[in-house]
Amino acid sequence: MAEELTPETPEETTEEQAIKQRKNGLYPGVSDELAENMKSGWADTELRDLAPIAQADKTAARRAALSARFPGERLVIPAGNLKTRSNDTEYAFRASTEYAYLTGDQTQDGVLVLEPARAGGHEATIYLLPRSDRENGEFWLDGQGELWVGRRHSLTEAEQLLGVPAKDVRELAAQLKEATGPVRAVRGHDAGIEAALTDKVTAERDEELRVYLSEARLIKDDFEVAELRKACEATARGFEDVVKVLDKAEATSERYIEGTFFLRARVEGNDIGYGSICAAGPHATTLHWVRNDGDVRSGDLLLLDAGVETNELYTADITRTLPINGRYTELQRKIYDAVYEAQEAGIAAVKPGAAYRDFHDAAQRVLAEKLVEWGLVEGPVERVLELGLQRRWTLHGTGHMLGMDVHDCAAARTEAYVDTTLAPGMCLTVEPGLYFQADDLTVPEEYRGIGVRIEDDILVTEDGNVNLSDALPRRSEEVEAWMAGLKG
Ligand code: GLY
Ligand code: MN
Ligand code: MN
């Protein structure tokens, strides 16, 4: 009987189970003999003596720091659940940054719990879905059974890999409901876990946990720096891929560029770290142009802002503004070189002990000077900067922290981020731009529809900085030479 074969999920009615099976393309009505047959005849595939993941010592240190910050409190950090895209198809899963940072794991539905220990500190446990049960048919009758979606690690395997005891996540909600004592949770990823905690947590206390985890990521450890390097190197190869197919993009659309970069991201990494901005011609003046459905025309510029996210979830965030036919026009070059000069000034201001705001101010000053020099805004430069008049064309801040999130550490307090001083291990983007909208009547007609941004990923070191994305040229003439070399 089908009813006997469905997984033991007491909260589901038989009808709900039948619906789930239909959605999965299965139909109730499995014979007893088939059900019995499917239970046995399977090899033991348990993996033994697994080595810990490469960052196991780092994740342990991150959990220890978290434990020290919230003594005596139960801390709950979910990976998140699948999100429905349409009917019974889901978006690709991406574990929450907080969970991946603290565990090195990326399993959907996983939850890290730090339980206060009697002797002080915390005991960490990772709650995961175990291997599919063959006795009750889950492995082939449930849409998330291993036969449908692939083998999972057993809890024992997960313990060896992650260096944390692992338990069955299906028991966690009930345990949390019963638990006493103070609790904090990272919100927004797992509605089931949040429901179990609803009368135990407060928004204010949970926010303190989120802020802590954001600020903890301000300084990258050496594992993280290596991942960011990897992300930048893969991204540079993705930009080369794009240059090589610009003729195909001209024959089709910006989508050809998006797809080409995405191929590199999926082959070398986990994904793109954010929606690729493949902005040709006047689309370059739209800061987050991700529709990418426009024409690619010789004589125009292509603003490509894209980043590969590594398999450990660290992303690059790089922009180059390229002449589609390989050579900048005189005006394009004038604007490009101004942005380059601003970026140089910005990068030079990135060093330990400098104020976070310095690189922005340095870049803005150069851009304001250029705008005054070109007669687009009335000087003097000090007046322009004081009133922020350059911002009609510079539009956005000059950079942000970079890491597992493209706009990393976003929940950090102002005093820990924009009002702080730079320290070794911070990684940030420096990305000035000038954007002349197609309908901006305050600039000469020839400027309209030109947008330029140059963005690099800069690591603060003990004695200055390192440009992690310097595999890609930035000077206008070097960009042209690089493109000519790639097009052969
Ligand atoms: N790609 C988004 C940004 O540069 O901040
Ligand atoms: Mn950026
Ligand atoms: Mn960017």
Side-chain angles (χ1 to χ4, degrees):
M1 300 287 283
E3 286 80 355
E4 292 164 11
L5 297 171
T6 49
E8 289 171 33
T9 46
E11 65 274 13
E12 277 185 347
T13 64
T14 308
E15 181 53 22
E16 282 167 343
Q17 290 169 350
I19 289 168
K20 200 168 172 187
Q21 287 179 331
R22 276 199 295 280
K23 279 167 64 179
N24 296 333
L26 278 166
Y27 294 89
V30 176
S31 72
D32 289 349
E33 190 169 339
L34 176 59
E36 208 46 44
N37 174 289
M38 289 297 279
K39 286 183 186 176
S40 59
W42 309 105
D44 174 8
T45 60
E46 181 73 8
L47 304 170
R48 294 179 174 85
D49 302 323
L50 293 174
I53 57 170
Q55 59 171 324
D57 59 335
K58 304 290 193 227
T59 56
R62 296 170 198 160
R63 289 190 300 271
L66 172 64
S67 166
R69 168 67 181 81
F70 296 104
E73 302 189 39
R74 182 178 279 102
L75 306 171
V76 181
I77 299 105
N81 316 123
L82 285 176
K83 290 187 176 55
T84 300
R85 181 176 185 277
S86 168
N87 185 26
D88 58 351
T89 56
E90 288 93 17
Y91 290 104
F93 180 72
R94 200 274 194 185
S96 76
T97 290
E98 294 89 349
Y99 175 87
Y101 175 74
L102 292 167
T103 64
D105 183 51
Q106 297 179 36
T107 309
Q108 68 199 46
D109 305 324
V111 185
L112 172 71
V113 178
L114 265 59
E115 187 95 16
R118 275 179 201 283
H122 288 78
E123 277 159 14
T125 305
I126 195 159
Y127 288 83
L128 297 166
L129 206 52
R131 303 275 328 263
S132 282
D133 194 328
R134 299 191 179 215
E135 272 302 306
N136 68 10
E138 178 199 330
F139 84 105
W140 68 293
L141 291 174
D142 187 295
Q144 288 302 316
E146 288 182 312
L147 185 138
W148 290 91
V149 297
R151 188 188 187 282
R152 291 189 281 270
H153 283 302
S154 71
L155 296 183
T156 310
E157 290 167 359
E159 282 180 4
Q160 292 174 22
L161 288 165
L162 305 175
V164 182
K167 290 187 182 158
D168 189 337
V169 72
R170 289 170 300 192
E171 287 151 24
L172 180 60
Q175 282 173 23
L176 290 175
K177 273 187 196 154
E178 295 301 312
T180 55
V183 187
R184 296 182 197 248
V186 173
R187 298 185 176 204
H189 302 296
D190 191 323
I193 293 296
E194 283 177 40
L197 290 171
T198 187
D199 54 356
K200 298 188 195 317
V201 293
T202 67
E204 196 183 2
R205 285 162 41 77
D206 287 355
E207 180 62 10
E208 285 171 1
L209 173 60
R210 192 172 81 100
V211 167
Y212 167 81
L213 287 171
S214 218
E215 292 181 6
R217 302 202 315 275
L218 282 164
I219 308 273
K220 272 66 185 176
D221 61 37
D222 52 7
F223 178 88
E224 296 183 287
V225 170
E227 285 295 310
L228 285 164
R229 274 187 201 284
K230 213 186 284 177
C232 287
E233 286 161 10
T235 300
R237 286 187 281 274
F239 276 57
E240 289 176 3
D241 296 340
V242 167
V243 170
K244 287 180 189 161
V245 299
L246 280 175
D247 56 337
K248 294 200 174 71
E250 281 186 61
T252 53
S253 78
E254 294 163 341
R255 290 280 163 93
Y256 207 96
I257 294 164
E258 180 183 332
T260 299
F261 188 80
F262 184 63
L263 176 62
R264 179 64 68 172
R266 285 294 284 167
V267 169
E268 288 208 35
N270 175 60
D271 204 340
I272 47 175
Y274 53 94
S276 300
I277 297 165
C278 307
H283 290 156
T285 66
T286 302
L287 294 179
H288 283 176
W289 177 259
V290 291
R291 283 182 232 159
N292 299 339
D293 58 358
D295 290 336
V296 177
R297 293 197 184 89
S298 174
D300 281 350
L301 295 174
L302 167 68
L303 186 156
L304 176 59
D305 180 345
V308 172
E309 177 188 69
T310 65
N311 288 321
E312 304 304 334
L313 307 186
Y314 288 80
T315 190
D317 179 12
I318 304 178
T319 306
R320 290 293 180 267
T321 306
L322 312 171
I324 289 163
N325 65 13
R327 268 193 82 72
Y328 296 99
T329 66
E330 200 178 321
L331 180 61
Q332 288 168 351
R333 190 186 306 276
K334 178 174 99 164
I335 298 169
Y336 183 95
D337 288 349
V339 174
Y340 171 78
E341 209 179 297
Q343 199 204 20
E344 281 286 277
I347 294 173
V350 175
K351 52 191 167 201
Y356 174 82
R357 291 177 194 272
D358 285 354
F359 76 95
H360 172 71
D361 293 344
Q364 290 288 305
R365 174 169 291 278
V366 173
L367 295 175
E369 284 166 3
K370 298 291 176 187
L371 291 163
V372 170
E373 184 185 316
W374 299 339
L376 301 185
V377 62
E378 194 187 323
V381 170
E382 291 310 328
R383 180 191 86 95
V384 172
L385 288 170
E386 197 175 313
L387 300 176
L389 301 179
Q390 81 285 359
R391 291 173 58 190
R392 183 178 175 102
W393 303 285
T394 66
L395 295 183
H396 54 77
T398 307
H400 50 84
M401 295 293 176
L402 182 72
M404 300 184 84
D405 293 336
V406 61
H407 297 156
D408 209 32
C409 313
R413 293 161 302 155
T414 306
E415 61 264 40
Y417 189 159
V418 285
D419 281 346
T420 195
T421 50
L422 298 179
M426 288 181 172
C427 184
L428 48 109
T429 68
V430 178
E431 51 174 309
L434 280 175
Y435 311 90
F436 300 102
Q437 304 300 317
D439 59 353
D440 186 345
L441 302 181
T442 71
V443 296
E445 201 171 342
E446 63 269 25
Y447 283 69
R448 296 179 201 160
I450 295 181
V452 173
R453 177 163 65 254
I454 313 173
E455 177 173 24
D456 284 80
D457 300 344
I458 311 295
L459 175 72
V460 183
T461 58
E462 294 292 339
D463 50 6
N465 71 58
V466 171
N467 183 345
L468 300 181
S469 43
D470 70 354
L472 289 171
R474 292 185 295 125
R475 279 179 192 280
S476 53
E477 63 276 15
E478 287 171 8
V479 170
E480 289 172 337
W482 169 75
M483 290 181 74
L486 288 169
K487 285 176 167 179

